[in-house]
Amino acid sequence: MDAIWHHVAISVKDMENELRFYRDLLGFEVDWERENYTGEMYARVVGLPGATARVVMLKGYNARIELFKYHVPEGDECGPKRQCDFGLTHFAIMVKGIHEIYERLVKAGVHFNCPPQNLRPGVWATYMKDPEGVTIELVEYEE
């Protein structure tokens, strides 16, 4: 298969709050946005008859994050997920200056499990939560 990674998608309750986090705090940029993404082909792809959603594609750091705020159908709460539970548990962003980023985000009210930890020589990591509870790893590989 000739392929490259394109994006991670997150279904959200509050698009504006999530945009403030990913765009304003983490520095992603809006690549494109559709206020009412709908239609038969879209509904087929997502497997939701009659689906309508606001979709915002963010880009930055050689990655993309696609945020969905479904109007039809409305989403359900899934509850908190532990890292040992089955399925997707987190995604990671490789950074430079993890300690400074951690301090800046803590001051902005972001919840972390702990300060950056030295997992092995030259590797620092920590997990944080977005406003709706999605786990994001920050990891730094020292040169």
Side-chain angles (χ1 to χ4, degrees), residues 56-132:
V56 179
M57 182 68 79
L58 302 171
K59 66 178 181 177
Y61 317 107
N62 293 316
R64 284 183 160 71
I65 299 173
E66 189 175 25
L67 302 177
F68 287 83
K69 168 60 175 120
Y70 278 91
H71 306 299
V72 176
E74 290 186 22
D76 292 328
E77 287 289 337
C78 295
K81 187 172 208 156
R82 302 170 305 158
Q83 290 299 300
C84 60
D85 292 336
F86 301 118
L88 182 65
T89 60
H90 72 277
F91 65 90
I93 301 172
M94 190 167 61
V95 300
K96 297 249 186 241
I98 193 169
H99 300 284
E100 295 81 8
I101 294 167
Y102 168 81
E103 292 298 331
R104 178 177 64 82
L105 294 175
V106 165
K107 287 178 185 170
V110 176
H111 172 77
F112 283 83
N113 289 351
C114 62
Q117 302 294 301
N118 189 206
L119 298 179
R120 62 183 183 273
V123 180
W124 291 86
T126 187
Y127 284 9
M128 64 180 172
K129 299 282 188 185
D130 85 355
E132 295 186 6

Side-chain angles (χ1 to χ4, degrees), residues 42-60:
Y42 172 68
R44 284 184 185 170
V45 169
V46 297
L48 297 167
T52 301
R54 177 180 176 194
V55 183
V56 179
M57 182 68 79
L58 302 171
K59 66 178 181 177

Side-chain angles (χ1 to χ4, degrees), residues 22-23 27-32 57-60:
Y22 287 101
R23 182 192 58 212
F28 282 85
E29 298 176 8
V30 174
D31 187 25
W32 57 264
M57 182 68 79
L58 302 171
K59 66 178 181 177

